[in-house]
């Protein structure tokens, strides 16, 4: 019987793998019932495609069921190795989540466009837990098992001999983003079947959709498959709102008080955050406020009520009365307002002591913004830091000022730093600019890393 060989790249050392990564800890727990081989690329600085291909090459003389998996995946199934063996009998390539179809220009297995519009539920398959503790949030995408055309690269399992026979490898131009999309295209072109399989895991981190590195890889993926559309003038592509999506911000969720009685979320979009929070606090009364009627209709499935309105037009009496809450939530919203200072002050004046605001705000000091500004590349986009619907821009310093000037006390803050290896070549220049300006260069580099900040501010 072929061994199961885990293939994983991690930034930690080999000695730290079993204690500092979700995958390492879970493999240690299950090692008696699930004996496996581990091909670990410790302290890894190479692209995933590169190390995965090395494992494929090594398997020529030592075939195995290869499991390409991220190190932030906690395997929860006590008999997961048997499940995987069953899966690779049913399909050539097995994953946890996927899509039964592929449409032109698709940027990920779950989305149909680069505005991150979810595909119809009837095309999706999979079940994945999210979080770093138990109980965790569970995303149920659709029935499992299902034949698929695209699989999430979080975990991919395949018999090495089938890969060798089909001459399928990973394209090393995709170091992280789109390596899974490209691999699935290659597998399909070479006659390999793909499908989801039931396996319980918890993913400890979210994706990095929409980051500069992601968009750069998306362009190369489009070029490879000749899917790039003709660029349109900015004026012809203006979006009324940031595109709706079904994701929630896990860092925002963590800072929300666990026992809030009344929550008001501004810009609730599809209601994804309400959906997850009500799992933790089912007795809360959750009000969503959404300026887009179409988004508001989606959010009504998860909120106790949703108001179609522009919160900046709300009078003080409405905020203090019908909208009175012990937690207000602004998930990537304050930057879309004309006068966020006035609104936060109005809410503060209407709030009882101990009430809080939880907010996520994009960082205008992010290294990618500085890099693009240095060459005049300030072009609006449909999402991300250059979202065309942003009205205000904040750095960490001005974010803190925003709250304090409105009478709030920031008691918790979390920088959201993602895996962006391409930043390393820009950070020395940021360091040098800060030094030239007579400011702390180390602090300038640290403040250039977060894509966003999440805060909880309280009323005294």
């Amino acid at each position: 019987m072929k061994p199961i060989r885990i293939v994983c790249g991690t930034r930690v050392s080999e000695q730290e793998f079993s204690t500092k990564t979700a995958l390492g800890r879970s493999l240690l727990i299950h090692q008696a019932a699930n004996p496996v081989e581990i091909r670990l690329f410790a302290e890894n600085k190479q692209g995933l495609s590169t190390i995965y291909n090395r494992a494929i090459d090594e398997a020529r003389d030592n075939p195995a069921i290869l499991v390409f998996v991220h190190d932030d995946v906690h395997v929860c199934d006590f008999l997961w190795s048997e499940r995987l063996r069953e899966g690779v009998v049913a399909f050539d390539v097995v994953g946890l989540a996927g899509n039964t179809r592929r449409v032109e220009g698709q940027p990920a297995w779950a989305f149909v466009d680069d505005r991150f519009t979810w595909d119809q539920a009837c095309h999706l398959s999979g079940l994945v837990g999210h979080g770093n503790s138990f109980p965790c949030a569970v995303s149920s995408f659709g029935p499992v098992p299902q034949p698929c055309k695209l699989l999430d690269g979080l975990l991919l399992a395949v018999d090495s001999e089938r890969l060798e026979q089909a001459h399928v490898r990973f394209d090393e131009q995709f170091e992280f983003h789109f390596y899974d999309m490209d691999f699935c295209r290659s597998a399909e072109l070479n006659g390999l079947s793909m499908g989801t399989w039931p396996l319980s895991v918890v993913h400890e981190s979210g994706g990095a959709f929409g980051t500069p590195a992601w968009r750069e890889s998306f362009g190369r993926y489009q070029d490879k498959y000749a899917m790039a559309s003709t660029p349109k003038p900015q004026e012809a592509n203006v979006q009324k709102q940031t595109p709706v999506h079904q994701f929630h911000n896990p860092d925002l969720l963590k800072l929300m008080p666990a026992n809030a009685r009344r929550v008001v979320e501004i810009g609730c979009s599809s209601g994804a955050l309400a959906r997850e929070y009500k799992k933790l606090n089912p007795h809360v009364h959750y009000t969503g406020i959404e300026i887009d009627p179409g988004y508001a209709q989606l959010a009504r499935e998860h909120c106790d009520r949703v108001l179609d309105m522009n919160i900046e037009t709300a009078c003080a009496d409405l905020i203090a009365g019908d909208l009175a809450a012990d937690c207000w939530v602004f998930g990537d919203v304050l930057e879309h307002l004309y006068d966020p200072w006035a609104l936060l002050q109005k809410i503060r004046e209407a709030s009882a002591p101990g009430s809080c605001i939880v907010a996520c705000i994009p960082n205008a000091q992010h290294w990618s913004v500085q890099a693009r500004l240095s060459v005049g590349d300030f072009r609006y986009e449909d999402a991300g830091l250059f979202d065309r619907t942003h009205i205000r821009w904040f750095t960490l310093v001005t974010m803190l000022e925003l709250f304090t000037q409105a009478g709030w006390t920031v008691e918790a803050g979390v920088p959201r730093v993602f895996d962006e290896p391409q930043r390393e070549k820009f950070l020395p220049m940021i360091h040098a600019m800060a030094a030239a300006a007579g400011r702390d260069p180390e602090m300038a580099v640290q403040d250039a890393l977060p894509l966003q900040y999440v805060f909880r501010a309280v009323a005294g």
Side-chain angles (χ1 to χ4, degrees):
M1 184 168 62
K2 287 179 183 173
I4 290 178
R5 186 173 303 142
I6 300 291
V7 182
C8 178
T10 182
R11 292 189 172 183
V12 304
S13 68
E14 187 171 353
Q15 292 73 28
E16 295 172 321
F17 177 69
S18 295
T19 58
K20 290 193 174 181
T21 70
L23 180 62
R25 292 192 299 269
S26 64
L27 292 177
L28 197 61
I29 292 170
H30 302 314
Q31 62 182 348
N34 300 277
V36 297
E37 298 178 1
I38 302 177
R39 179 59 173 100
L40 185 66
F41 293 85
E43 301 178 81
N44 181 56
K45 295 182 180 179
Q46 300 180 87
L48 290 185
S49 293
T50 299
I51 63 173
Y52 288 173
N53 282 340
R54 282 182 59 186
I56 294 171
D57 292 339
E58 293 167 0
R60 288 186 184 131
D61 297 325
N62 189 13
I65 296 172
L66 301 177
V67 183
F68 305 104
V69 58
H70 296 184
D71 71 349
D72 58 354
V73 173
H74 189 107
V75 183
C76 305
D77 196 317
F78 292 135
L79 299 173
W80 67 267
S81 62
E82 289 305 313
R83 288 188 179 273
L84 274 184
R85 290 187 186 280
E86 294 167 357
V88 295
V89 170
F91 300 106
D92 294 319
V93 184
V94 172
L96 301 175
N99 198 320
T100 61
R101 70 169 183 168
R102 186 183 64 253
V103 298
E104 184 177 355
Q106 192 164 1
W109 67 270
F111 304 131
V112 294
D113 56 42
D114 63 356
R115 297 186 300 275
F116 309 124
T117 304
W118 279 76
D119 202 351
Q120 300 172 49
C122 61
H123 300 299
L124 302 181
S125 171
L127 189 74
V128 179
H130 297 282
N132 54 15
S133 62
F134 295 94
C136 67
V138 177
S139 297
S140 179
F141 303 109
V144 181
Q146 285 276 12
C148 290
K149 285 184 174 290
L150 295 172
L151 294 171
D152 188 347
L154 187 65
L155 182 152
L156 297 170
V158 59
D159 187 319
S160 65
E161 291 186 306
R162 294 186 201 171
L163 284 182
E164 189 69 18
Q165 292 163 6
H167 305 291
V168 172
R169 293 168 60 84
F170 291 88
D171 187 337
E172 295 186 14
Q173 71 169 304
F174 302 111
E175 295 184 351
F176 184 77
H177 304 292
F178 292 90
Y179 75 90
D180 49 355
M181 294 280 288
D182 179 79
F183 180 78
C184 290
R185 295 291 293 266
S186 178
E188 181 184 8
L189 288 171
N190 288 280
L192 296 182
S193 63
M194 295 174 285
T196 53
W197 202 254
L199 181 65
S200 300
V201 307
V202 175
H203 187 202
E204 287 197 346
S205 64
F209 299 110
T211 63
W214 181 91
R215 292 195 176 278
E216 192 270 335
S217 294
F218 185 31
R220 282 189 278 111
Y221 174 75
Q222 287 180 306
D223 290 342
K224 179 173 180 177
Y225 294 100
M227 296 184 299
S229 56
T230 303
K232 299 178 181 179
Q234 288 195 149
E235 295 78 6
N237 198 30
V238 172
Q239 298 294 322
K240 178 176 59 175
Q241 285 286 82
T242 300
V244 71
H245 58 82
Q246 298 291 337
F247 285 122
H248 75 284
N249 183 329
D251 295 317
L252 200 62
L253 180 63
K254 289 175 185 176
L255 289 189
M256 294 175 67
N259 58 350
R261 293 168 300 162
R262 297 177 66 85
V263 171
V264 175
E265 182 185 357
I266 310 302
C268 60
S269 188
S270 67
L273 185 63
R275 176 193 69 213
E276 299 304 319
Y277 183 74
K278 287 175 76 70
K279 292 177 184 178
L280 305 176
N281 183 9
H283 301 297
V284 69
H285 185 275
Y286 204 109
T287 297
I289 294 180
E290 178 52 61
I291 198 170
D292 188 296
Y295 297 1
Q297 189 59 38
L298 295 173
R300 289 189 174 96
E301 180 180 351
H302 305 296
C303 298
D304 295 294
R305 66 170 179 170
V306 178
L307 305 179
D308 307 354
M309 64 176 293
N310 180 348
I311 189 60
E312 291 197 271
T313 66
C315 64
D317 289 343
L318 178 63
I319 290 175
D322 190 47
L323 293 180
D326 42 355
C327 177
W328 288 73
V329 181
F330 293 83
D332 294 290
V333 169
L334 291 170
E335 66 276 11
H336 295 263
L337 305 181
Y338 284 97
D339 196 345
W341 299 271
L343 177 62
L344 292 186
Q345 185 172 351
K346 194 184 300 184
I347 294 172
R348 171 64 187 88
E349 292 170 352
S351 297
S355 301
C356 72
I357 282 179
V358 178
C360 182
I361 308 174
N363 179 24
Q365 197 178 344
H366 189 255
W367 65 268
S368 67
V369 176
Q370 298 190 55
R372 289 176 60 171
L373 282 174
S374 71
V375 293
D377 185 17
F378 193 109
R379 290 184 173 86
Y380 291 110
E381 298 170 350
D382 293 337
L385 290 171
F386 287 82
D387 188 325
R388 66 184 73 254
T389 61
H390 288 181
I391 297 172
R392 302 297 182 183
W393 291 67
F394 298 96
T395 64
L396 175 60
V397 170
T398 58
M399 291 175 202
L400 295 174
E401 290 176 352
L402 168 66
F403 290 109
T404 57
Q405 290 171 2
W408 295 90
T409 300
V410 174
E411 68 169 12
V414 178
R416 303 194 79 206
V417 180
F418 297 94
D419 185 17
E420 299 169 326
Q422 71 276 24
R423 68 185 172 218
E424 299 304 323
K425 60 186 177 182
F426 296 102
L427 297 182
M429 275 71 85
I430 293 173
H431 187 282
M433 284 194 298
R439 308 299 290 270
D440 185 341
E442 299 299 331
M443 184 65 70
V445 168
Q446 287 303 308
D447 290 347
L449 301 181
L451 188 73
Q452 303 154 306
Y453 289 92
V454 179
F455 298 100
R456 183 174 64 238
V458 296

